[in-house]
Amino acid sequence: MGEFFQNLVNALQYGSFLALIALGYSMVYSILMLFNFAHGDIFMVGAYIGFGIATLLVTLASFGALALPGWLILVLTIIISMFLTSFVGMLVERIGYRPLREAPRASAAITGLMIGIILETGNLALLGAKRVSFPALIESATYDIGGVFVTNKKIMIVFVSIILTLALHQFVTKTKWGMAMRAMAFDYLVVPLMGVSINTIARLTFAIGSALAAAAGILYGVAYPVLEPYMGIIVGWKAFVAAILGGRGSILGAALAGFLLGFIEIFVAMIFPSTFRDLIAYSIVLLILVFRPHGFFGEPYSAKLRL
């Protein structure tokens, strides 16, 4: 049982990253019917932006120019990185996706892949291929709870992920902008007739999704403090699977699917050799989608006018 709960803690941490990234995929897909395949690389960009901000703040603090505790530097890093990365997302929408809004969906999907490659190679050109270490902003502490070892970093990562997910859910369900986003997801063609700008909602969708990806990138850097330009590829694809598994139009569904995918991967690796982890884990996901093709919380819909 001790091993079970230890892996449960690890799964919660890993699922937190997938959940936050999956939210961005789910929002864009639900509202604009686009597969933003560059989203995993926006996660990478957000992590590097966080690395730069954290390094700057730690350097200023070491010279006495900025007397801030580590936890406050981490909070500032998350907030500033989310803000800056949201502009990266809006730039991707404006340059890459808006001109293709009426084009076949395949064109937009390929564009997303190309944007991802541009972000990866741009990072390589600017910073080189060398991996960088995310600054240690908070001192690690381990708690022994009934034989299960839980660190303060794991608790913080899961807590921040859940708070951001609930905040997004409240925004989408309780605010006027959220109502416009839900209306556009329900009927893309009628909403502009009601005076709602498609461009504004598209910018907002990409901005929020990119900000959440940046938060995931920083939390990932705290947990696994090694960043490299291709870190967003595999994690991004897994988060995309979680977004589809959660169901179109469901914020909480995407988050829950992200945590579920984390659980499946961790527990499969606990039972079987690690080389079989992805094979077995994604075979389980495939089996779920066979019986729930619209995801856990998705509803059947017609997309004729969007193809």
Side-chain angles (χ1 to χ4, degrees), residues 21-54:
I21 304 170
L23 290 175
Y25 274 116
S26 181
M27 289 177 64
V28 173
Y29 173 55
S30 300
I31 297 169
L32 300 172
M33 282 297 290
L34 288 172
F35 293 131
N36 179 20
F37 290 135
H39 193 61
D41 291 296
I42 292 177
F43 156 78
M44 176 271 296
V45 170
Y48 271 87
I49 290 175
F51 164 77
I53 293 170

Side-chain angles (χ1 to χ4, degrees), residues 179-213:
M179 183 186 299
M181 294 167 75
R182 287 186 289 120
M184 188 167 291
F186 182 77
D187 196 324
Y188 179 85
L189 296 178
V190 172
V191 169
L193 302 178
M194 303 293 104
V196 178
S197 170
I198 293 179
N199 292 336
T200 300
I201 298 302
R203 282 196 301 268
L204 182 62
T205 301
F206 272 82
I208 294 175
S210 300
L212 292 172

Side-chain angles (χ1 to χ4, degrees), residues 104-123:
R105 298 299 92 184
S107 300
I110 293 172
T111 298
L113 294 174
M114 297 305 102
I115 291 173
I117 292 173
I118 290 171
L119 293 176
E120 293 161 10
T121 53
N123 189 326

